[in-house]
Amino acid sequence: MNDEREYILKSLDGNQEAFAMIIQKYQTPLLNYVGRMVKDKETALDLLQEIFLKIFTSLRQYKPHYPFRTWIFKIASNHVIDFWRKRRVETYSLDDEENHGFSLLQVLPLQEKSVARKYELHQLRKKIEQALQKLPASLRELFIWRYINELSYEEIAEIKNLPLGTVKNRIFQAKEKLRLLLEKEE
Amino acid sequence: MKCLDPETIYLFLEEGLPSSDAKDVQAHLDTCPRCQLLLEDRAHFLEAIKSLPRWQPPPDFTDQVLAKIFRPRLDSQRVIFSALGLLVFFSLCFLTLVVLTGPYFLRTLSSFSHQLFVGGEACLLFLVKAGKVIIIFSKLGLNFLQQGREILSLLFSWERLGVIPMILSSFFWLSIFALWAFRRKLFLGA
């Protein structure tokens, strides 16, 4: 953590090596987030370059009391939203989703089939990856942060400025909707 | 205890339940085969989710980003040093010329200054002549303006008041003609 603070300070002085350390630390988590949000690795890499450029130019505005990882993911999230706005990509709000045929009642059938046990682990991963792309963007984002970037619920709540309970509920919805999508695929 | 709902199962699996609740859940699981199946299913699902493959950026990604951020900029120090370098270079060239030409240098220099003087004189003469041309043209313009003023005063004098209706009527017919000629542009916007 102290190392990170040192890298930030050195980067502010224009030290390339220090900023390289920051890039190396965050490039993989950010690529996994951005890539799964825009569904294309090449576009994701371009966006990632822009995100790091934004991080570097906004570094002076960073307040040390704020967790750096959260700050970085906040920048990335805003950048992805900007990208969608520019491309006019359709994104669903949570309110819309409730009218898109997903409801929690559908997600929780009484006699539920075991989706997970039907596939081997590697098959299941592949299916999940495909189903993830069908998940509404607002849920997909939180899901990726929680299970791929391994952010805590608190960190996610901080990034999205949402109450902790809402974040937990949305991530639960994401998991169950993903299961529903897998069930539908069978 | 009632059968477990998926949310509780996830919380149990991710250790998000208070220890007392976790104990109750464990007690229920020990006796309920349906909930055991549910737990097994969600555990397998969570395992798959958590072990999704991680994408890796290309090995030169950091260098690409750094190259974009830290583009070589033209700093003032570099500009000053370059200018000084050029000055030194040209001075050295001049000195070499002096050394190489030796006694001929002064002669060349005086011939050059003579040529410079002749050229300057020619330039001066050209400027004087150009000035004269400008004065002639301005006089011509003034005369033209005076003539115009006289014509206007003649036209609008009380004695020749009949000229005004003639001019007005010609303006009227001219505007009618213009309207007809540009009717498409004016009324249809074509």
Side-chain angles (χ1 to χ4, degrees), chain A residues 36-160:
Chain A
R36 283 180 170 95
M37 290 309 283
V38 299
K39 307 174 189 179
D40 170 53
K41 199 173 174 181
E42 286 307 308
T43 315
L45 283 169
D46 289 344
L47 278 180
L48 202 54
Q49 286 201 2
E50 291 168 19
I51 289 168
F52 278 116
L53 202 72
K54 218 172 189 177
I55 289 170
F56 184 76
T57 50
S58 324
L59 218 50
R60 282 194 192 283
Q61 290 151 31
Y62 168 69
K63 291 179 182 82
H65 66 266
Y66 202 83
F68 192 58
R69 183 157 81 146
T70 315
W71 184 73
I72 276 186
F73 273 99
K74 204 168 199 165
I75 288 180
S77 173
N78 290 336
H79 201 74
V80 169
I81 292 168
D82 286 347
F83 167 78
W84 280 332
R85 273 196 199 129
K86 275 182 205 156
R87 293 269 181 110
R88 295 172 186 216
V89 176
E90 197 184 337
T91 54
Y92 305 109
S93 78
L94 261 188
D95 300 334
D96 292 339
E97 284 153 28
E98 275 152 23
N99 302 320
H100 271 82
F102 288 113
S103 78
L104 221 56
L105 282 175
Q106 269 180 295
V107 176
L108 305 170
L110 279 173
Q111 295 293 319
E112 54 182 292
K113 288 184 262 178
S114 168
V115 172
R117 274 180 286 120
K118 280 211 184 301
Y119 302 109
E120 288 293 317
L121 195 62
H122 70 277
Q123 274 181 312
L124 187 60
R125 277 189 212 128
K126 216 172 171 182
K127 295 269 174 197
I128 291 173
E129 201 76 72
Q130 286 164 358
L132 196 57
Q133 299 310 323
K134 293 177 191 160
L135 207 65
S138 54
L139 292 186
R140 194 173 354 131
E141 184 175 51
L142 304 189
F143 179 87
I144 294 165
W145 281 339
R146 179 75 188 111
Y147 293 108
I148 294 168
N149 296 136
E150 292 164 19
L151 298 182
S152 67
Y153 287 113
E154 287 78 7
E155 281 176 309
I156 297 170
E158 183 85 52
I159 296 168
K160 291 306 276 184

Side-chain angles (χ1 to χ4, degrees), chain B residues 133-181:
Chain B
V133 170
I134 289 168
I135 289 167
I136 288 167
F137 269 102
S138 47
K139 273 184 180 170
L140 204 72
L142 269 173
N143 267 336
F144 205 71
L145 277 174
Q146 270 178 349
Q147 290 293 326
R149 212 177 66 180
E150 273 174 25
I151 289 168
L152 280 175
S153 62
L154 212 68
L155 283 174
F156 291 99
S157 62
W158 287 107
E159 300 86 40
R160 293 179 180 261
L161 212 61
V163 178
I164 293 170
M166 202 176 82
I167 291 168
L168 283 177
S169 66
S170 50
F171 264 115
F172 173 76
W173 286 113
L174 259 174
S175 29
I176 292 288
F177 175 75
L179 275 174
W180 180 79

